[in-house]
Amino acid sequence: MLDLDKIRLDLENLLLSLGRIVRKEFENKNKDFSSKKDANDLLTKTDVEVNDKILAYLEKNYPQITIISEEAEEITRDSEYAFVIDPIDGTRNFVRNIPILHIGIGLVHKNRTLLCMTYNPLSEELFYAIKGKGSFRNNKRVKVGNRTLELSDVVVRTIPDKILEKEVVCNIVGDVYQVKNNMCCHDEISGVACDKFDGFISKNSSPWDYCHFLLVEEAGGKVTDWKGDEFDISKDNIVASNGVIHEELLNNL
């Protein structure tokens, strides 16, 4: 049996230490970067450095657990558990000196998140959730809001499928207060959990983006796939909301 409270403390210390690296490099206005899948899918030396440090730490301290990372090959173990890593969620923001980015790690069991933690080292906001124990920002419990659809700020992201994104935005833009996209899934999902946003609609992202859905569930919100079925990180589509507007969001997809 894994000690989730101990793992949380270990990950918190790790992410806080990595935050110092990211803060220092963020000040560099001329970052070197390369493109991965397309011109907006970026990779910097800081992504690689942070990823390498996370891998080294987890392999040393939790050698029995599989590791899935955005920036490295999967390290497979004979385990039903896996760490899911995003060394910098929001690399495009990082390159452009936009202070919306997170370092994130989730622990999943059979594709369902047991523990997740994501840290913005620039705002110094650290979010975590443990299954059955609530969601927290800087160790203070957070809850979703209760705004209705017409008062809601809803995030939509289906990049790189711009046609689908246009369709989804056009379907809901007249019913909500505003549609947003901060180019950082961790910021947007944690934003729903702490009542900064009211809904999050996404498709075509990855397990290291979506594993933080637990933040919303543990904050009292609702998370499903686009069909309204239970979400897990094997799926590439998600709706996370304050619960009040969930069915209305699904009806617009």
Side-chain angles (χ1 to χ4, degrees):
M1 179 70 72
L2 296 177
D3 185 342
L4 296 181
D5 290 310
K6 178 183 182 302
I7 294 173
R8 178 190 72 79
L9 290 173
D10 287 349
L11 296 184
E12 181 173 336
N13 289 331
L14 175 62
L15 264 59
L16 291 175
S17 68
L18 295 172
R20 290 191 284 272
I21 298 171
V22 175
R23 278 195 298 272
K24 179 180 177 181
E25 292 300 323
F26 183 79
E27 299 302 321
N28 179 2
K29 305 300 182 184
N30 297 295
K31 301 178 183 70
D32 291 327
F33 62 89
S34 59
S35 298
K36 295 188 289 184
K37 296 177 184 177
D38 59 59
N40 284 308
D41 188 11
L42 307 181
L43 179 70
T44 69
K45 68 175 186 178
T46 309
D47 290 271
V48 176
E49 180 180 1
V50 170
N51 188 74
D52 288 349
K53 289 183 180 297
I54 295 174
L55 291 181
Y57 181 88
L58 295 179
E59 285 194 276
K60 177 181 178 181
N61 291 280
Y62 298 97
Q64 75 278 22
I65 298 177
T66 293
I67 305 174
I68 301 168
S69 172
E70 180 178 14
E71 309 301 354
E73 294 295 321
E74 181 174 323
I75 300 171
T76 304
R77 308 297 189 200
D78 183 16
S79 174
E80 294 181 341
Y81 297 92
F83 286 112
V84 185
I85 301 167
D86 196 341
I88 299 181
D89 182 43
T91 300
R92 187 171 182 271
N93 291 341
F94 178 67
V95 169
R96 298 179 66 193
N97 297 100
I98 299 169
I100 302 174
L101 56 97
H102 282 243
I103 311 166
I105 304 176
L107 176 64
V108 302
H109 178 251
K110 295 181 177 180
N111 290 325
R112 291 283 296 177
T113 304
L114 297 178
L115 162 67
C116 62
M117 182 172 293
T118 185
Y119 176 49
N120 182 335
L122 304 175
S123 66
E124 298 191 75
E125 291 178 293
L126 187 143
F127 290 87
Y128 76 85
I130 298 176
K131 184 70 175 175
K133 294 187 177 182
S135 289
F136 299 83
R137 176 178 58 191
N138 294 345
N139 293 316
K140 294 183 179 180
R141 193 153 190 168
V142 295
K143 290 288 187 181
V144 298
N146 60 1
R147 281 180 288 275
T148 55
L149 193 64
E150 65 272 15
L151 300 176
S152 294
D153 290 359
V154 176
V155 175
V156 175
R157 53 158 60 244
T158 66
I159 291 170
D161 191 337
K162 303 297 285 184
I163 294 174
L164 178 60
E165 185 157 297
K166 180 180 179 181
E167 179 182 334
V168 174
V169 170
C170 288
N171 284 346
I172 70 169
V173 70
D175 297 328
V176 302
Y177 180 71
Q178 63 179 331
V179 176
K180 302 175 73 71
N181 183 341
N182 283 352
M183 291 302 298
C184 178
C185 278
H186 295 196
D187 177 78
E188 294 154 352
I189 293 173
S190 63
V192 175
C194 72
D195 193 24
K196 182 167 68 174
F197 306 127
D198 306 288
F200 173 76
I201 300 170
S202 180
K203 185 175 174 62
N204 298 320
S205 287
S206 303
W208 41 81
D209 297 312
Y210 291 159
C211 69
H212 300 279
F213 75 90
L214 185 64
L215 287 166
V216 175
E217 287 189 340
E218 288 295 319
K222 187 171 183 177
V223 182
T224 67
D225 65 14
W226 283 27
K227 294 179 180 179
D229 297 329
E230 182 180 61
F231 180 78
D232 67 58
I233 66 165
S234 70
K235 300 182 178 182
D236 78 338
N237 61 92
I238 187 173
V239 178
S241 78
N242 62 12
V244 176
I245 65 172
H246 203 88
E247 294 303 317
E248 292 172 286
L249 294 180
L250 290 175
N251 290 338
N252 278 294
L253 298 176

